């Protein structure tokens, strides 16, 4: 059991640093190497960028030495994420000496946050492009080819990249990300995302359905609908979410919200398993729960980050719900979908957090018994209200001790939840070989638990298989296919 300690936590860390590989080598084409850090949205953005660059004559490569252009798709969420990227840039010094013509670009949140300044701080960098400016890449690359440095960090009111078909990078051919909203209007006081990804806007449902149709035609079996705050999805013809209130009655009546979008996608694609992330509790509605309960092809998993179990801290974080309201939502979810799994994000040691607040977090965890979670020590982000108005006054060692206690508790609950599957049959979508043994398949059940099972019977990746669970750790289920 111990070896799997914090597997889920590690999984998130590992996402930071996975290089993407899509090889479509044609001679005389230029090559781009894209390395992606951070969230699933960044992974999907890298796929969008690969698509935009393919029209400019660039194929992706997994061999950095071959690259004409290296793009780091960066993350700013915590200080550590930015430091990782700075270290990675250091590493490119040698590479740039060996290949002086190779251009290096920063895209993503760190590009947006630091803008031109990064060109002074990191002499190696030739290109800086923010999350809403990827369409401008062909033009920015022309600038590079003319020997100039290039920057575009404009944020947009409309951009959703709706018409761009992502090049599926590092794909298992089974599961794909589909972005449905961009930006976030919530302004949680610890969070840099509203500054790096701009105001919230939603994508036309028609283009979402078309993208999923395309994936379905190519035999994909699972999609994850992505947004910083998916439950706030609202299509009313385009434009910012905040401008919805000023629309006429007819426009408002015809708008599509997230519950309706889920219903549309689930109805149109009964054979596709649908996931979504991330839900902010304040925007997660009963209607969404009902849509989930109605469709068996919507995965029974909700990622519902709460950050803290203390009302006082939630208010300081500008999270617009109470713990009582959160618990009511959890109860309603379990009432409609009894076998649902629920996961969390928690922040340990936010400004002014007392031992009592911390105990409230642990108590909330005992109430919900989350299936898994992603847990972090608070990291002040420049520009946020947390940085401007609040003191980062919890000593580092106390943050780490509280984080440890939160992780340990999660570990207990994860094991408790996984044990509930023992002796039961679960439906698993096979994603590929188990990392540790090619005699075993790896897949996930509806609740998003990783399942490893023996290769008995004639199955292949993309098949849904009934598996009888006979063992587990806190992070993995083990079993045999029912054949
Ligand atoms: N809605 C987003 C949340 C983005 S950040 C999503 O799609 O996941 C992911 C998680 O990182 C947050 O839920 C929070 O727990 C954590 N986080 C964000 N800012 C942080 C900070 N300044 N310090 C520590 N953790 C942070
Ligand atoms: Fe960040 Fe809060 Fe939005 S965590 S992404 S500001 S919902």
């Amino acid at each position: 059991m111990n070896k799997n300690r914090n597997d889920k936590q590690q999984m998130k860390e590992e996402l930071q640093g996975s290089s993407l590989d899509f090889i479509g080598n044609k001679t005389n084409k230029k090559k781009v190497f894209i390395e992606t850090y951070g969230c699933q949205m960044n992974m999907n953005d890298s796929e969008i960028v690969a698509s935009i660059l393919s029209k400019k004559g660039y194929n992706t490569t997994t061999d950095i030495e071959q690259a004409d252009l290296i793009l780091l798709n960066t993350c700013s969420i915590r200080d550590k994420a930015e430091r990782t990227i700075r270290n990675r840039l250091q590493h490119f010094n040698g590479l740039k000496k060996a290949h002086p013509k190779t251009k290096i670009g920063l895209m993503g949140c760190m590009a947006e946050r630091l803008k031109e300044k990064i060109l002074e701080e990191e002499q190696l960098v030739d290109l800086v492009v923010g999350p809403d400016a990827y369409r401008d890449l062909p033009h920015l690359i022309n600038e590079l080819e003319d020997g100039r440095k290039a920057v575009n960090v404009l944020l947009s009111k409309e951009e959703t990249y709706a018409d761009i078909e992502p090049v599926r990078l590092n794909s298992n051919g089974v599961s794909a990300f589909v972005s449905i909203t961009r930006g976030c209007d919530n302004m949680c006081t610890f969070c840099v995302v509203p500054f790096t990804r701009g105001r919230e806007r939603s994508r036309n449902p028609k283009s979402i359905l078309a993208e999923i149709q395309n994936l379905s035609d190519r035999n994909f079996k699972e999609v994850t609908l992505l947004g910083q705050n998916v439950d706030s999805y609202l299509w009313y013809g385009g434009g910012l979410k905040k401008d919805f209130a000023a629309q006429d009655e007819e426009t408002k009546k015809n708008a599509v919200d997230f519950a309706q979008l889920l219903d549309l996608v689930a109805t149109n694609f009964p054979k596709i398993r649908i996931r979504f992330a991330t839900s902010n509790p304040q925007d997660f509605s009963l209607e969404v729960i009902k849509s989930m309960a109605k469709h068996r092809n919507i995965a029974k998993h909700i990622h519902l980050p709460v950050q803290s179990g203390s009302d006082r801290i939630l208010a300081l974080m500008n999270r617009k719900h109470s713990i009582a309201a959160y618990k009511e939502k959890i109860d309603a979810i379990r009432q409609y979908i009894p076998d649902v799994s629920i996961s969390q994000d928690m922040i340990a040691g936010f400004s002014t957090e007392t031992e009592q607040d911390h105990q409230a977090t642990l108590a909330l965890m005992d109430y919900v018994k989350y299936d898994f979670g992603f847990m972090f020590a608070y990291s002040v982000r420049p520009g946020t209200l947390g940085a401007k108005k609040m003191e980062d006054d919890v000593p580092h060692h106390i943050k780490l001790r509280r984080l440890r206690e939160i992780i340990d508790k999660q570990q207990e609950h994860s094991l408790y939840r996984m044990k509930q599957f023992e002796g039961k049959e679960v439906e698993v979508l096979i994603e590929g070989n188990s990392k540790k043994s090619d005699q075993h398949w790896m897949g996930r059940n509806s609740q998003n638990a990783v399942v490893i099972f023996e290769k008995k019977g004639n199955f292949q990746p993309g098949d849904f298989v009934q598996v009888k669970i006979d063992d587990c750790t806190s992070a993995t289920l083990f079993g045999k296919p029912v054949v």
Side-chain angles (χ1 to χ4, degrees):
M1 182 179 71
N2 260 355
K3 70 179 159 49
N4 277 303
R5 251 179 109 76
N6 300 332
D7 263 15
K8 292 266 157 70
Q9 171 93 353
Q10 267 166 17
M11 209 170 70
K12 191 132 180 179
E13 303 285 333
E14 275 165 21
L15 291 180
Q16 311 192 337
S18 55
S19 65
L20 299 175
D21 32 80
F22 169 83
I23 309 173
N25 282 328
K26 264 194 213 153
T27 42
N28 77 23
K29 277 207 156 193
K30 292 213 166 186
K31 295 194 179 71
V32 57
F33 176 94
I34 309 179
E35 195 164 275
T36 307
Y37 294 80
C39 62
Q40 295 172 327
M41 187 71 100
N42 257 10
M43 300 209 168
N44 192 223
D45 280 359
S46 291
E47 300 182 326
I48 287 166
V49 163
S51 176
I52 292 170
L53 289 181
S54 73
K55 307 224 161 57
K56 173 78 182 157
Y58 278 80
N59 276 332
T60 48
T61 176
T62 50
D63 182 358
I64 197 164
E65 300 284 335
Q66 299 286 320
D68 301 286
L69 173 64
I70 298 171
L71 286 177
L72 295 186
N73 193 356
T74 61
C75 173
S76 282
I77 201 76
R78 284 166 290 278
D79 183 51
K80 187 167 161 239
E82 290 201 359
R83 269 188 285 127
T84 306
I85 290 161
R86 300 255 186 197
N87 291 339
R88 186 67 176 135
L89 284 171
Q90 292 300 313
H91 177 86
F92 290 157
N93 272 318
L95 187 132
K96 190 92 179 182
K97 278 205 187 90
H99 307 280
K101 285 198 178 142
T102 306
K103 302 291 181 194
I104 296 178
L106 282 196
M107 51 185 273
C109 286
M110 201 171 158
E112 189 65 47
R113 194 178 86 71
L114 296 167
K115 306 188 169 51
E116 292 83 359
K117 207 169 77 182
I118 196 88
L119 292 179
E120 289 157 34
E121 293 172 3
E122 304 285 349
Q123 306 279 327
L124 284 177
V125 175
D126 304 292
L127 163 75
V128 181
V129 57
D132 283 350
Y134 298 147
R135 261 182 225 276
D136 195 31
L137 271 166
H139 160 249
L140 296 169
I141 287 172
N142 286 345
E143 300 265 307
L144 296 186
E145 287 172 351
D146 289 347
R148 288 187 290 274
K149 298 214 172 191
V151 179
N152 188 342
V153 287
L154 285 178
L155 288 173
S156 156
K157 287 185 181 170
E158 295 95 21
E159 184 59 272
T160 58
Y161 301 110
D163 57 321
I164 293 177
E165 191 193 323
V167 173
R168 301 295 167 183
L169 299 165
N170 211 14
S171 172
N172 57 16
V174 174
S175 189
F177 298 127
V178 175
S179 293
I180 64 163
T181 72
R182 294 186 75 84
C184 184
D185 283 350
N186 274 348
M187 287 296 187
C188 302
T189 56
F190 54 81
C191 186
V192 77
V193 169
F195 302 92
T196 60
R197 289 192 165 263
R199 302 305 298 257
E200 193 175 305
R201 66 221 95 117
S202 296
R203 175 176 171 190
N204 189 334
K206 278 198 189 129
S207 78
I208 296 171
L209 292 175
E211 184 174 338
I212 301 174
Q213 182 64 55
N214 178 297
L215 288 164
S216 169
D217 293 345
R218 288 157 60 202
N219 258 327
F220 279 79
K221 296 294 170 55
E222 183 178 76
V223 296
T224 304
L225 306 178
L226 285 184
Q228 300 301 330
N229 183 14
V230 276
D231 299 270
S232 164
Y233 175 89
L234 192 61
W235 172 257
Y236 64 93
L240 294 180
K241 168 84 185 264
K242 74 176 177 63
D243 296 337
F244 177 68
Q247 304 302 310
D248 59 43
E249 284 315 308
E250 186 67 12
T251 308
K252 284 187 181 164
K253 209 178 76 212
N254 293 327
V256 178
D257 68 14
F258 184 58
Q260 291 164 320
L261 178 74
L262 262 185
D263 203 50
L264 256 176
V265 174
T267 307
N268 275 280
F269 301 99
K271 296 218 164 102
I272 298 254
R273 188 196 262 175
I274 299 143
R275 299 189 180 283
F276 57 90
T278 295
S279 297
N280 185 316
Q282 72 205 41
D283 297 304
F284 187 82
S285 70
L286 193 61
E287 297 311 311
V288 170
I289 305 174
K290 285 184 185 162
S291 280
M292 290 180 74
K294 189 168 133 195
H295 296 281
R296 91 171 274 285
N297 57 328
I298 301 181
K300 295 180 180 186
H301 167 231
I302 303 172
H303 187 52
L304 205 60
V306 67
Q307 318 297 353
S308 168
S310 153
D311 278 326
R312 195 183 66 83
I313 295 294
L314 286 188
L316 283 175
M317 288 175 162
N318 196 30
R319 306 282 290 188
K320 298 209 165 100
H321 64 84
S322 64
I323 292 299
Y326 182 78
K327 284 179 169 171
E328 267 172 36
K329 265 188 194 164
I330 298 280
D331 295 345
I333 293 169
R334 293 206 194 283
Q335 190 193 334
Y336 277 90
I337 318 164
D339 51 348
V340 72
S341 74
I342 302 176
S343 54
Q344 45 84 351
D345 291 346
M346 292 287 187
I347 297 180
F350 188 68
S351 300
T352 76
E353 188 188 75
T354 62
E355 215 48 45
Q356 201 185 351
D357 296 319
H358 171 59
Q359 288 304 324
T361 296
L362 296 176
L364 178 65
M365 292 177 76
D366 280 330
Y367 183 85
V368 183
K369 292 198 174 61
Y370 294 98
D371 291 71
F372 60 94
F374 303 104
M375 296 144 284
F376 315 95
Y378 176 49
S379 162
V380 184
R381 308 311 294 131
T384 60
L385 215 62
K388 286 189 197 151
K389 294 265 158 72
M390 299 170 206
E391 203 184 332
D392 182 22
D393 56 358
V394 179
H396 188 61
H397 70 279
I398 293 186
K399 278 186 193 170
L400 291 188
R401 194 256 301 150
R402 289 180 188 164
L403 177 61
R404 182 79 260 153
E405 288 173 11
I406 291 171
I407 291 174
D408 286 347
K409 187 162 285 292
Q410 184 52 57
Q411 211 58 35
E412 269 173 42
H413 292 158
S414 296
L415 184 62
Y416 166 80
R417 290 290 177 199
M418 295 299 251
K419 286 246 178 247
Q420 309 305 307
F421 288 112
E422 279 185 357
K424 296 204 176 113
E425 273 182 28
V426 299
E427 188 184 60
V428 180
L429 173 59
I430 304 181
E431 291 179 20
N433 282 335
S434 151
K435 266 195 208 132
K436 290 186 186 146
S437 137
D438 59 10
Q439 300 304 306
H440 291 79
W441 290 121
M442 174 274 184
R444 279 165 216 274
N445 68 1
S446 177
Q447 287 83 355
N448 208 27
V450 171
V451 184
I452 305 287
F453 66 96
E454 286 170 26
K455 280 190 180 172
K456 266 192 350 201
N458 192 18
F459 299 120
Q460 53 188 7
D463 286 346
F464 286 97
V465 182
Q466 288 298 121
V467 176
K468 175 104 186 264
I469 302 303
D470 51 30
D471 197 6
C472 73
T473 66
S474 60
T476 313
L477 299 174
F478 300 95
K480 293 186 183 60
V482 181
V483 279

